[in-house]
Amino acid sequence: MKSSDPPLIFRETSIPLSIALVIPVGVLLVLLGLLLFPVNTGAIPFSPDGQLGLLLVIMAIQMLALGETPMGQYRRSRLLVVIGIVFASMGIFSCIVPGIMTDLIRVLLAILNIAGGAILLAKRFLPMLQGAGSPATAVPADLLPTLKKLLVTQTVLNVVSISFGISMLLPGLIPGMVIAGIVVINGLLLFALATILMKVV
């Protein structure tokens, strides 16, 4: 190491932007899920507007920066940028002025989570079912276990996303403690997904 090199902690990281944006979402979900346990016992107060607004703002940032949506990644068109700005504005407004857009954002996030999870599952498994019996694309042997882990993680993440969306769309259907556990699992799965993607890219 040259004497002019900065300390390790100040060196440029090799984490791609797409994965770097997954990390704060994972942190948010794990922290939110852990806080929901004492919230459900009445030990601490809770602001659903802040939660929903923050989730919407993070989703908007992913749209604007990468074209990443709950239903997959798309080209960053002007339409997608406009949608991202609208979502960010709604989320910021909800955080600052609680009680006005709560139900609208809750239903919006619920529909996006349910539709996104279902669409991504269909995109992943329908081609496999239609192509059953056809020769598989050649994959390097060293990457095969990692790709299998990626497939399992993404599938579980989509199922959890659908469950989270249903819990938001039908409040009271799923007990609060179970929802807290679902949110924590969702966050941990995002960390697992980021770790696997780092090995693939």
Side-chain angles (χ1 to χ4, degrees):
M1 184 179 69
K2 298 179 181 179
S3 57
S4 59
D5 289 343
L8 183 62
I9 195 171
F10 293 113
R11 292 183 200 169
E12 184 176 357
T13 180
S14 59
I15 301 177
L17 177 61
S18 57
I19 298 177
L21 286 176
V22 170
I23 296 174
V25 180
V27 172
L28 166 65
L29 292 178
V30 171
L31 183 58
L32 173 62
L34 293 176
L35 289 174
L36 283 177
F37 286 107
V39 164
N40 281 290
T41 63
I44 60 174
F46 177 65
S47 170
D49 300 274
Q51 169 207 349
L52 298 174
L54 186 56
L55 287 172
L56 201 56
V57 168
I58 291 178
M59 184 186 298
I61 292 173
Q62 291 177 316
M63 285 185 186
L64 293 169
L66 302 169
E68 192 78 41
T69 75
M71 286 165 278
Q73 189 165 12
Y74 298 91
R75 186 172 57 87
R76 291 173 59 244
S77 63
R78 292 182 179 180
L79 175 61
L80 192 61
V81 169
V82 170
I83 294 174
I85 292 173
V86 172
F87 280 11
S89 302
M90 291 171 61
I92 294 168
F93 183 87
S94 178
C95 290
I96 297 174
V97 186
I100 295 180
M101 305 187 71
T102 309
D103 290 336
L104 174 62
I105 295 179
R106 178 175 56 78
V107 172
L108 175 62
L109 287 173
I111 292 173
L112 287 174
N113 274 279
I114 295 171
I119 289 172
L120 292 176
L121 283 174
K123 283 183 177 179
R124 189 172 304 118
F125 288 105
L126 282 181
M128 292 183 185
L129 296 175
Q130 293 171 352
S134 61
T137 305
V139 176
D142 57 336
L143 277 181
L144 195 55
T146 303
L147 291 177
K148 286 182 178 179
K149 288 181 182 178
L150 179 62
L151 176 63
V152 171
T153 302
Q154 288 177 325
T155 301
V156 176
L157 194 57
N158 295 146
V159 173
V160 171
S161 177
I162 293 172
S163 303
F164 182 58
I166 293 173
S167 72
M168 296 180 72
L169 191 61
L170 302 171
L173 178 66
I174 303 176
M177 290 296 185
V178 176
I179 294 175
I182 290 175
V183 174
V184 172
I185 292 171
N186 201 347
L188 293 176
L189 285 171
L190 286 178
F191 287 128
L193 180 64
T195 302
I196 294 171
L197 288 175
M198 285 291 293
K199 296 177 182 179
V200 174
V201 297

